Amino acid sequence: MSDSFVQQANGDIHNYGLAYSDVKAICHDVVRQELSIVTKEATDTFHQEITAFENQFVRRLENLENPQVMEKLRTPKLQFALHDTIKEYAKTDDAGTKEELIDLLIDRLKVNEHSTEQYLIDESIKIIPNLSLAQTYFLGALTLRKIINQGYSFIVDRNLAKRAELYEYLNEITTLDIQYLKLINCCSDMPGTKYYLPTLNVMKPDYDLLFRHHITDDIFYSFWHEHPNMPMINEKALIYKHDDTNEMHLLYSAKKYLIQVIERAQQPFSHSELDQFINLFTPLTDEEIKQHLISLNPNWGKAFNCLDKEEITQIDLTPVGLYIGRRIVQKVTKDDTLPLEDFYK
């Protein structure tokens, strides 16, 4: 590795100021006090952790192309954040937590000072190493209560199966975990008599076309022939055929989303005929919906058992709990389209 962070483009060399030796010196300087209060044996281990941190951190810094971002490492505020990150990095044995701490620090370099996200990152650096895997996933699960996927039914099904990976450890969450998350300001009691509805009560209005029985193609085409002037885009805008069962499925997961699609296409349509068509697909019962979701991913059973408990329907995420929850949702579902501000509109 060269001693400077350098990028070459179109034959020009751009040096972003800070060298590897500079970063190494800063990393050691900000934790000098910690090095002075541990034993000789612990100091050796601490040095190994600092070196491991430096190597990972520098590799990530090399991908940054903004000299102003790099110069932030010279500022006191960023060095306080660096101090906290290195200290927590050295304390944890979990490789995933170490990686997340570096991710947070890189994000800390990118955000504006005195912004809400800056404060949330600073708090997250101190909190995340003190969370168990079950507690972290639980924050992700609570975040998902606020997220509705809309669109093609088969894609929504796939997303619902993927998000259930965050429910893996819900059966490990106890009252003590909930009290601890309140203590460290990740969760809080909802004010007054407010509470979250049971999981199915929340989902059914937003997935009113997804949670329906399928029909055979003869039922579909019989209806289509009886309504030849039905002012729709075309039949392919309404249904798709499942490859395995050869049954007809409603294409979109929610009626309101379907209407938006039709209106965007500037197609006139009859609400009554649309309702007649939708009613060919009879709604699933609550138990059938549960079994459908569990068939997508067995972890949905854990979600129903945990998230519908009274004590959990009466808690909500704090801003920092939501920030951490959003990050774990993004990592597990690979969905990076979850802007934080959307949760507070």
Side-chain angles (χ1 to χ4, degrees), residues 96 108 238 341:
R108 176 67 174 77
L238 297 175
E341 57 272 16

Side-chain angles (χ1 to χ4, degrees), residues 290 293-294 297-306:
K290 286 184 178 181
L293 291 170
I294 291 171
N297 189 317
N299 285 342
W300 273 104
K302 299 175 184 178
F304 295 125
N305 291 334
C306 176

Side-chain angles (χ1 to χ4, degrees), residues 6 12 15 24 39 45 61 67-68 103 133 156 165 172 174 186 188 191 226 230-231 240 274 313 320 329-330 332 339:
V6 183
D12 295 324
N15 191 312
K24 182 176 180 180
T39 65
T45 303
L61 286 176
Q68 293 180 335
D103 287 344
L133 185 61
V156 171
E165 293 180 20
E172 298 179 18
T174 66
C186 285
S188 63
E226 291 173 7
M230 188 173 176
Y240 73 97
L274 178 60
T313 63
V320 69
V329 169
Q330 289 173 332
V332 172

Side-chain angles (χ1 to χ4, degrees), residues 156-176:
V156 171
D157 263 349
R158 191 161 62 231
N159 289 341
L160 291 174
K162 187 67 177 176
R163 69 192 284 176
E165 293 180 20
L166 274 162
Y167 303 150
E168 176 69 28
Y169 305 102
L170 287 183
N171 58 347
E172 298 179 18
I173 295 298
T174 66
T175 298
L176 185 61

Side-chain angles (χ1 to χ4, degrees), residues 186-305:
C186 285
C187 293
S188 63
D189 292 314
M190 298 184 74
T193 58
K194 289 187 177 180
Y195 60 92
Y196 276 93
L197 293 171
T199 305
L200 284 188
N201 293 39
V202 174
M203 297 181 71
K204 284 195 295 184
D206 290 296
Y207 300 112
D208 58 326
L209 299 189
L210 179 68
F211 296 145
R212 289 177 178 266
H213 290 283
H214 311 142
I215 62 173
T216 58
D217 53 3
D218 58 326
I219 294 175
F220 170 76
Y221 287 114
S222 174
F223 177 88
W224 206 258
H225 290 313
E226 291 173 7
H227 299 79
N229 298 318
M230 188 173 176
M232 285 294 170
I233 305 171
N234 58 58
E235 62 201 55
K236 292 181 180 179
L238 297 175
I239 56 93
Y240 73 97
K241 184 177 287 189
H242 196 285
D243 293 336
D244 296 332
T245 64
N246 212 32
E247 292 179 323
M248 296 290 189
H249 300 229
L250 285 164
L251 181 60
Y252 291 101
S253 59
K255 179 182 174 181
K256 60 184 178 182
Y257 188 82
L258 170 60
I259 291 175
Q260 290 173 8
V261 172
I262 296 172
E263 289 177 342
R264 281 200 299 269
Q266 297 183 334
Q267 293 288 331
F269 68 98
S270 163
H271 280 278
S272 62
E273 283 191 312
L274 178 60
D275 288 339
Q276 289 179 55
F277 175 73
I278 290 173
N279 288 335
L280 295 175
F281 302 78
T282 56
L284 299 177
T285 65
D286 285 359
E287 185 57 34
E288 286 172 330
I289 294 173
K290 286 184 178 181
Q291 292 309 312
H292 171 70
L293 291 170
I294 291 171
S295 72
L296 297 177
N297 189 317
N299 285 342
W300 273 104
K302 299 175 184 178
F304 295 125
N305 291 334

Side-chain angles (χ1 to χ4, degrees), residues 38-132:
V38 296
T39 65
K40 173 65 168 64
E41 182 179 352
T43 299
D44 293 339
T45 303
F46 203 171
H47 275 296
Q48 292 172 10
E49 292 289 347
I50 296 173
T51 300
F53 172 86
E54 291 167 358
N55 292 335
Q56 285 186 268
F57 187 42
V58 168
R59 281 196 296 270
R60 297 291 301 278
L61 286 176
E62 288 181 318
N63 295 323
L64 298 179
E65 301 176 359
N66 186 333
Q68 293 180 335
V69 167
M70 297 296 296
E71 283 300 315
K72 281 188 176 182
L73 281 171
R74 300 187 189 276
T75 65
K77 289 181 180 178
L78 204 290
Q79 289 186 13
F80 279 119
L82 180 63
H83 165 272
D84 292 340
T85 306
I86 296 174
K87 188 171 71 171
E88 297 299 340
Y89 183 100
K91 286 164 58 178
T92 183
D93 294 324
D94 182 72
T97 302
K98 290 178 183 290
E99 180 182 355
E100 177 64 9
L101 285 168
I102 291 179
D103 287 344
L104 282 164
L105 188 59
I106 293 295
D107 288 344
R108 176 67 174 77
L109 281 165
K110 297 176 182 177
V111 301
N112 294 326
E113 294 296 326
H114 306 296
S115 65
T116 301
E117 189 166 5
Q118 179 238 299
Y119 295 126
L120 293 176
I121 291 173
D122 287 348
E123 288 302 305
S124 298
I125 287 171
K126 300 170 187 175
I127 290 173
I128 286 178
N130 297 302
L131 295 174
S132 68

